[in-house]
Amino acid sequence: EPEVTQTPSHQVTQMGQEVILRCVPISNHLYFYWYRQILGQKVEFLVSFYNNEISEKSEIFDDQFSVERPDGSNFTLKIRSTKLEDSAMYFCAIARQGILDTQYFGPGTRLTVL
Amino acid sequence: AQTVTQSQPEMSVQEAETVTLSCTYDTSESDYYLFWYKQPPSRQMILVIRQEAYKQQNATENRFSVNFQKAAKSFSLKISDSQLGDAAMYFCAYRVLDSNYQLIWGAGTKLIIKP
């Protein structure tokens, strides 16, 4: 099973601050995804990323969110001005090869906005 | 729009017994994938099993197996010989086969293992 790490494991921030969540696949992957899970709620798709560009995004992924893969390795999710309702677990998922490949999830980052 | 429904918010089973978790979905697609993911208290999301819709044979992974009923749009997970380490939230997910390939998730079932 492909390995992927996420940093930090827990981030506490003040409302209005910017946060960057990082996803680091251990080996080469082509397809990246961000999901979030508000405590006690369903997992929600945020965005998919392929070939260094966004391939799809959900309604949740508004202008305060952005993703990039600046160095060809780390895959980041930036939230520009955090809101209380952004408090959630954020999961990075990767797919190794083809578009039909299984998505494997990182351990998640718990974001707490105060 | 595709939806995934898990009607059991919580299930409990005696250690070493067998338990079945239910999942139904709604789609107009003929080709898709279905998944069961496990989320232990650490909250990491771990793949348990995957089923391709074009395959008639039910997927199995050691103690985990599925009952895939395509016509009924049902995808249940059976856990045999339940172990304490199986205690977790279990999520059923559907894979959309279009340009984004995002997963669509059910609400989850909390599985409690009684020693």
Side-chain angles (χ1 to χ4, degrees):
Chain A
E1 186 171 309
E3 290 186 14
V4 55
T5 61
Q6 289 184 241
T7 59
S9 57
H10 190 191
Q11 174 89 47
V12 180
T13 189
Q14 294 291 324
M15 189 171 58
Q17 295 297 305
E18 175 182 286
V19 295
I20 297 176
L21 311 182
R22 290 183 173 81
C23 172
V24 185
I26 301 301
S27 54
N28 289 333
H29 293 77
L30 295 176
Y31 299 86
F32 299 86
Y33 307 81
W34 282 104
Y35 294 85
R36 81 173 183 188
Q37 184 186 30
I38 296 172
L39 186 62
Q41 296 188 22
K42 281 189 179 186
V43 178
E44 302 171 293
F45 167 75
L46 292 178
V47 66
S48 59
F49 190 85
Y50 167 67
N51 201 24
N52 290 322
E53 61 182 24
I54 291 174
S55 54
E56 190 71 24
K57 58 184 180 180
S58 70
E59 294 177 351
I60 303 168
F61 195 87
D62 60 22
D63 291 343
Q64 72 161 339
F65 292 93
S66 63
V67 290
E68 64 177 1
R69 199 172 174 213
D71 56 6
S73 177
N74 291 351
F75 177 52
T76 63
L77 173 69
K78 181 191 292 185
I79 309 175
R80 289 189 183 82
S81 179
T82 51
K83 306 171 188 171
L84 295 176
E85 54 265 37
D86 292 328
S87 294
M89 282 289 287
Y90 288 81
F91 292 101
C92 169
I94 57 173
R96 184 165 24 196
Q97 296 175 347
I99 55 180
L100 301 180
D101 197 11
T102 296
Q103 294 176 26
Y104 295 95
F105 284 73
T109 292
R110 179 175 296 184
L111 177 64
T112 302
V113 182
L114 303 176
Chain B
Q2 295 92 351
T3 58
V4 177
T5 302
Q6 292 179 251
S7 59
Q8 306 153 317
E10 186 174 297
M11 292 282 286
S12 63
V13 63
Q14 205 72 34
E15 191 177 4
E17 298 291 308
T18 295
V19 64
T20 298
L21 308 183
S22 301
C23 173
T24 59
Y25 56 95
D26 187 24
T27 183
S28 57
E29 302 288 335
S30 59
D31 292 325
Y32 49 87
Y33 290 77
L34 295 162
F35 303 85
W36 279 98
Y37 283 88
K38 168 185 175 181
Q39 187 180 43
S42 66
R43 298 197 71 185
Q44 180 162 2
M45 201 68 76
I46 302 166
L47 176 69
V48 175
I49 201 164
R50 151 179 159 158
Q51 174 78 45
E52 292 86 346
Y54 64 85
K55 289 186 178 179
Q56 293 187 337
Q57 186 174 5
N58 290 324
T60 62
E61 285 289 341
N62 301 315
R63 297 183 295 108
F64 298 87
S65 61
V66 299
N67 183 6
F68 174 49
Q69 301 290 329
K70 191 172 183 179
K73 297 180 183 176
S74 171
F75 181 61
S76 60
L77 175 70
K78 185 171 81 171
I79 306 173
S80 304
D81 185 25
S82 299
Q83 300 175 1
L84 294 177
D86 295 333
M89 285 289 291
Y90 285 81
F91 292 93
C92 178
Y94 167 96
R95 177 76 173 272
V96 179
L97 293 184
D98 61 14
S99 62
N100 57 34
Y101 309 105
Q102 62 167 294
L103 289 167
I104 297 173
W105 299 79
T109 296
K110 182 179 181 179
L111 179 63
I112 298 168
I113 310 294
K114 299 177 183 177

